[in-house]
Amino acid sequence: VPTTPYTEDGDQNLDALSSRIEEVLASGVTGLLGLGATGEALALSAVERESQIKTIVSAVDGRAHVVIGCMAYTPAEMSAQISNAADWGADAVMVTPPFYGGLEPEAVIAALRPVLTASELPVMVYNNPHSTGTDLLPDHVASLQDTGRLWSVKETSGAATRFRELCSRLGEDTEVFVGADGIALEGFAQGASGWVAASAWLLPEHCQKLWAAADSGDWAGAVDLWRTLGHALGLI
């Protein structure tokens, strides 16, 4: 998950962004998620969003998947952002419930359904109750599968058995991604099929090795790598 570098004048430093993307891709990372939900995305103007998305797509140049966060308070604005992301070369998008709204899950699903139905790209639904005030349970997420656009769910609630429950409820048609670095190993052990790692922007090689160990079933190696990474990032 790239952060947004800035110049001393407060402008986006897109050259620095491109350079760091090169370094991260060299580690073997297979996807970038730009304009993440809890970063700088909500503070960017429409022009800044466009320039950053185009910079990411150009820098990646087909060597990895590009996912773009498309968060907004209304379904119409989410859909507009998704359409723009598709036009500018993204492979997929991520959406969340409206921030700080504290909506009932059923209201969130009602808002997201037309967004997914109309989406030109596969959609990741980000369950982040700490920021949105809404916890989408596996049944809520599963109710969006019939749109045909629910590619994955990014899960960060921290509930002890949530990844297992999501994998069981969603089956093989929808990917389940760990979305919080502090619970990465727990998610992998419960069957998560991917990792949206903020820490990979800082330590991509370590994160890549951790995911590879867990994905291959080398749990002893994964635990050792997790301890090293957790201490480096102050997570443990």
Side-chain angles (χ1 to χ4, degrees), residues 117-159:
T117 300
S119 178
E120 303 165 58
L121 295 173
V123 178
M124 168 185 281
V125 172
Y126 182 10
N127 183 42
N128 185 357
H130 306 293
S131 292
T132 65
T134 305
D135 188 11
L136 298 177
L137 301 178
D139 281 346
H140 299 134
V141 178
S143 70
L144 293 171
Q145 286 183 303
D146 65 349
T147 65
R149 279 307 192 186
L150 181 64
W151 155 56
S152 62
V153 56
K154 177 184 174 185
E155 168 58 35
T156 63
S157 71

Side-chain angles (χ1 to χ4, degrees), residues 60-221:
V60 170
D61 193 25
R63 293 173 292 170
H65 301 293
V66 174
V67 184
I68 297 297
C70 295
M71 290 73 63
Y73 286 104
T74 67
E77 177 59 24
M78 287 187 206
S79 291
Q81 290 186 13
I82 291 172
S83 181
N84 287 337
D87 289 343
W88 300 331
D91 298 305
V93 294
M94 181 183 75
V95 299
T96 70
F99 280 91
Y100 311 115
L103 300 177
E104 292 297 324
E106 292 76 14
V108 170
I109 296 303
L112 293 182
R113 174 169 290 281
V115 174
L116 269 70
T117 300
S119 178
E120 303 165 58
L121 295 173
V123 178
M124 168 185 281
V125 172
Y126 182 10
N127 183 42
N128 185 357
H130 306 293
S131 292
T132 65
T134 305
D135 188 11
L136 298 177
L137 301 178
D139 281 346
H140 299 134
V141 178
S143 70
L144 293 171
Q145 286 183 303
D146 65 349
T147 65
R149 279 307 192 186
L150 181 64
W151 155 56
S152 62
V153 56
K154 177 184 174 185
E155 168 58 35
T156 63
S157 71
T161 59
R162 183 64 60 83
F163 293 103
R164 175 181 58 78
E165 293 164 355
L166 281 167
C167 291
S168 175
R169 182 66 179 84
L170 299 177
E172 297 182 356
D173 294 333
T174 302
E175 304 281 350
V176 177
F177 281 71
V178 177
D181 292 352
I183 54 174
L185 196 58
E186 290 84 349
F188 300 159
Q190 292 182 42
S193 53
W195 186 15
V196 180
S199 54
W201 192 242
L202 301 173
L203 298 169
E205 294 87 358
H206 291 75
C207 292
Q208 187 70 16
K209 289 178 181 178
L210 172 59
W211 166 248
D215 192 41
S216 67
D218 177 13
W219 293 109

Side-chain angles (χ1 to χ4, degrees), residues 3-64:
T3 57
T4 303
Y6 290 94
T7 66
E8 292 183 0
D9 295 329
D11 296 326
Q12 293 187 96
N13 189 337
L14 298 178
D15 289 337
L17 178 61
S18 294
S19 296
R20 183 57 182 161
I21 288 173
E22 287 293 333
E23 295 169 353
V24 169
L25 290 180
S27 75
V29 168
T30 58
L32 278 83
L33 195 158
L35 302 176
T38 52
E40 303 83 13
L42 294 176
L44 297 180
S45 69
V47 172
E48 289 172 325
R49 280 184 60 87
E50 179 179 355
S51 60
Q52 184 169 151
I53 293 170
K54 289 181 175 179
T55 295
I56 293 172
V57 170
S58 176
V60 170
D61 193 25
R63 293 173 292 170

